[in-house]
Amino acid sequence: MKKIAIIIAIFGILTSCKGQEEKKAAVANIPQTQKTDTEWEKQLTPEQFAVLRNKETERPFTGEYWNTFEKGKYVCAACGNPLFNSDAKFNSDCGWPSFDQAIKGAVIYKTDVSFGMQRTEVMCAKCGGHLGHVFDDGPTATTGKRFCTNSVSIKFIPK
C-alpha cells in the first residue's frame, strides 16, 4: 500500500510539472501585439491585410521577394518583428520566398486543415500575422525545412 501511495505521489508531481510546461507553451503562442481588424485595416495595404489578417495567399511568382537574394533581414510587414535572415533564404522554385529557418522565437506555429490539407501555418510571434506555411521539403544540407512565405507579409531590410 505504501508503494502505491508513493507511485501516485510521483505521478501527481510529474503531471503537474507537465501541466505547467504546457501552460508556458500556450502563453508563448499568444501574440504580444493585439489590435482590432479596424486598426489593422488602417495600417496595412489591402493586400497585406488579406494575407496577414485573413490568411490569404498571394499568387506564386508575383511577390516582391520571391527571387531576391541580397544580404539583410526580413521583418514582419505588420509589426517590424525580425523573422528571417537572408542567409536562411534559398531558391526553391515554388514562387514564394523560401527560408530554411526562422530567427529563434520569431514565429509561432498552428495546425492548418483548410482546403482539405493538413499543413503547419507560420505566424509572426509578435502580432500573430499569417506569414505562410512550413514544409519538410527544404534543403537537407541544413534544416530540411521550407518556410514558404508570402512576400506581402514581410519587408526586406538591406544590410
Side-chain angles (χ1 to χ4, degrees):
M1 197 63 158
K2 217 176 189 182
K3 288 181 182 178
I4 293 174
I6 291 171
I7 291 171
I8 291 172
I10 291 171
F11 180 76
I13 291 168
L14 291 175
T15 56
S16 72
C17 291
K18 183 181 178 195
Q20 290 172 357
E21 289 303 313
E22 288 172 354
K23 286 178 189 173
K24 285 180 189 174
V27 169
N29 283 331
I30 298 172
Q32 301 163 6
T33 301
Q34 302 286 327
K35 292 185 180 184
T36 66
D37 281 348
T38 303
E39 291 171 313
W40 283 121
E41 280 180 308
K42 288 178 183 175
Q43 177 184 333
L44 303 171
T45 68
E47 295 82 12
Q48 288 173 324
F49 185 82
V51 171
L52 286 158
R53 306 317 308 168
N54 291 334
K55 303 178 187 295
E56 292 184 19
T57 302
E58 65 190 5
R59 290 186 337 267
F61 304 102
T62 62
E64 183 177 359
Y65 303 121
W66 76 271
N67 201 24
T68 299
F69 295 95
E70 296 174 46
K71 295 292 182 195
K73 65 181 173 183
Y74 293 84
V75 301
C76 177
C79 70
N81 184 33
L83 302 168
F84 304 101
N85 288 315
S86 61
D87 293 344
K89 193 167 190 296
F90 67 97
N91 186 2
S92 68
D93 291 322
C94 71
W96 292 277
S98 296
F99 304 88
D100 66 359
Q101 64 183 336
I103 295 172
K104 187 174 181 168
V107 300
I108 52 178
Y109 306 92
K110 181 180 175 188
T111 300
D112 176 3
V113 293
S114 61
F115 304 109
M117 299 180 277
Q118 183 168 348
R119 303 175 289 174
T120 302
E121 178 184 6
V122 180
M123 297 169 291
C124 173
K126 187 173 178 185
C127 71
H130 172 76
L131 304 171
H133 294 86
V134 63
F135 302 98
D136 290 325
D137 61 358
T140 55
T142 57
T143 65
K145 301 290 183 193
R146 176 173 57 96
F147 287 79
C148 187
T149 309
N150 291 284
S151 283
V152 74
S153 67
I154 56 178
K155 181 180 175 187
F156 178 67
I157 309 295
K159 197 168 189 174

